[in-house]
Amino acid sequence: MSNLDLSKISLRPFKLSDVDDFLLWAGDDQVTQNLRWKTCGSREEALAFIRDVCIPHPWRRSICLDDRSIGFVSVYPWSGDDRCKADIGYAVAADYWGQGIATKAVKMAVPQVFNDLSHLVRLQAFTSPENKASQRVLEKAGFLKEGLLRKYTYFKGNIKDSVVFSFLSTDEFPHDDSWK
């Protein structure tokens, strides 16, 4: 897999037929360890998650390799007076880690998000300080590291620090070849 052709990576809405591919990565504790959702334990659970969470979500896309789901990118728009910002999150199947897929997917998502949600001014991401790979994804995708938020979030039973990154609608989108 070391010579993966990143031009085969695409983003699209989830479909119910993604269930078996979805379960491969959403059922992996390695993948979900940094996600707010719990690991999917069965095909039925995965199907319900796709149907009830992924499909109706305001902006959630499947990261696909040859149209097979290998991860996701989600954007969570805020509301009310904070509707100018949204949070972005992503994950890729562990078999595909370290190959530039998450970076490519985030780079593809950012301009789409600002186009689809034209009222957005700020896209922000939060990672754990230990998740250096996710921090590299964000930096390569053009996000600016803003700092460490101490004891910022309740995550899977613990109060944790978070590193915050942002991309503004006025920032320059990275060029397609900058993921190399």
Side-chain angles (χ1 to χ4, degrees), residues 9 27 30-31 56 86 88 105 130 149 168 179-180:
I9 300 299
Q30 281 186 102
V31 175
I88 188 169
E130 301 79 29
L149 301 170
L168 303 182
W179 46 260
K180 292 180 181 176

Side-chain angles (χ1 to χ4, degrees), residues 144-163:
L144 176 68
K145 181 178 179 179
E146 294 184 335
L148 175 70
L149 301 170
R150 299 180 309 149
K151 304 296 181 204
Y152 181 74
T153 190
Y154 186 77
F155 183 79
K156 296 188 177 181
N158 298 298
I159 302 291
K160 305 283 278 184
D161 295 347
S162 287
V163 180

Side-chain angles (χ1 to χ4, degrees), residues 4-61:
L4 181 70
D5 180 359
L6 292 179
S7 70
K8 294 183 178 196
I9 300 299
S10 62
L11 299 179
R12 63 159 169 75
F14 277 92
K15 306 179 285 194
L16 292 176
S17 59
D18 289 327
V19 65
D20 294 321
D21 293 330
F22 179 90
L23 187 56
L24 288 175
W25 56 267
D28 182 346
D29 290 332
Q30 281 186 102
V31 175
T32 60
Q33 71 183 344
N34 291 308
L35 302 179
R36 292 201 172 270
W37 15 305
K38 65 183 183 77
T39 305
C40 281
S42 69
R43 189 175 194 276
E44 294 73 29
E45 197 176 315
L47 191 60
F49 193 85
I50 292 170
R51 181 190 63 233
D52 301 339
V53 177
C54 296
I55 291 174
H57 194 281
W59 208 100
R60 177 167 288 177
R61 301 294 184 268

Side-chain angles (χ1 to χ4, degrees), residues 99-116:
Q99 298 181 53
I101 294 170
T103 300
K104 172 77 171 176
V106 171
K107 283 183 173 189
M108 292 169 69
V110 168
Q112 287 181 28
V113 168
F114 281 113
N115 185 60
D116 295 348

Side-chain angles (χ1 to χ4, degrees), residues 89-102:
Y90 47 88
V92 173
D95 288 349
Y96 297 100
W97 288 357
Q99 298 181 53
I101 294 170

